[in-house]
Amino acid sequence: MDAEHAVFGSLPDGFHALVVGATGGIGGAFCDLLERQPRLGALVRVSRSGSGFDLLNEDSIAEQAASLSQRKFHLMICATGVLTTDGRAPEKALRQLDPETIAMQFRVNAIGPALVMKHFLPLLDRQQRSIAAFLSARVGSIGDNRLGGWYAYRASKAALNQFVRTASIELARTHPQAVLVSVHPGTVRTSLSGPYSAGHNTVSAAEAAVSISGALEALTPEKTGSFIAYDGRDIPW
């Protein structure tokens, strides 16, 4: 394999990986990248179309996790998220705020991933190094917000980051070698960000997966609970 695309060398040989949102642009790219790794032991793909997974239904999340309860994972990628709901573009002004849109953004971008943490993080190996990454967005940073707008999306991703930060503290008590982080993938050419990528440097989903993998690989347990970009740099909360 090309050394450029050999990833997760710090994980145990024969490591087990789990990708939630495996049929999305970035999730699918991660699956493709992982399947080319000679040290991979097993890959589990979780998605609505592939396994009947429903991010908005806790029973569905719990059932999927229960079906894997006899396995231990060393890598977990949650590549779920939504930018627009019911055709509504991100808000540019307060007058455009809609409570149903806000609620749906929080359900998909924060509550759903939080329930993934609740049911899937216990599946991480307690004895060996493990990495769990949840896709966030730079616009979820409160400290880095200079442009305004995109109220619901920004707030829901900020909530996701808080869930990750808080869960990382609890996880460290039982999984001392685990790293749990929020990751900004960059502006990726997917159906989610495509309509809003004009004027931004973009990368393909495959390029994003390689970059994110390198950033995750470099993290030590002391960095658990961080909010990082695809290049490994810290992002302000």
Side-chain angles (χ1 to χ4, degrees), residues 90-94 96-97 139 145-155:
E91 312 93 344
K92 294 182 179 180
L94 281 169
Q96 297 174 322
L97 289 180
V139 296
N145 185 353
R146 300 287 186 270
L147 298 176
W150 289 34
Y151 287 88
Y153 186 69
R154 285 184 185 274

Side-chain angles (χ1 to χ4, degrees), residues 6 28 123 152 156 163 174 189 212 215 217 219 231:
L123 303 182
S156 65
F163 277 122
T174 55
R189 294 190 292 274
I212 294 169
E217 174 72 2
L219 296 175
D231 58 4

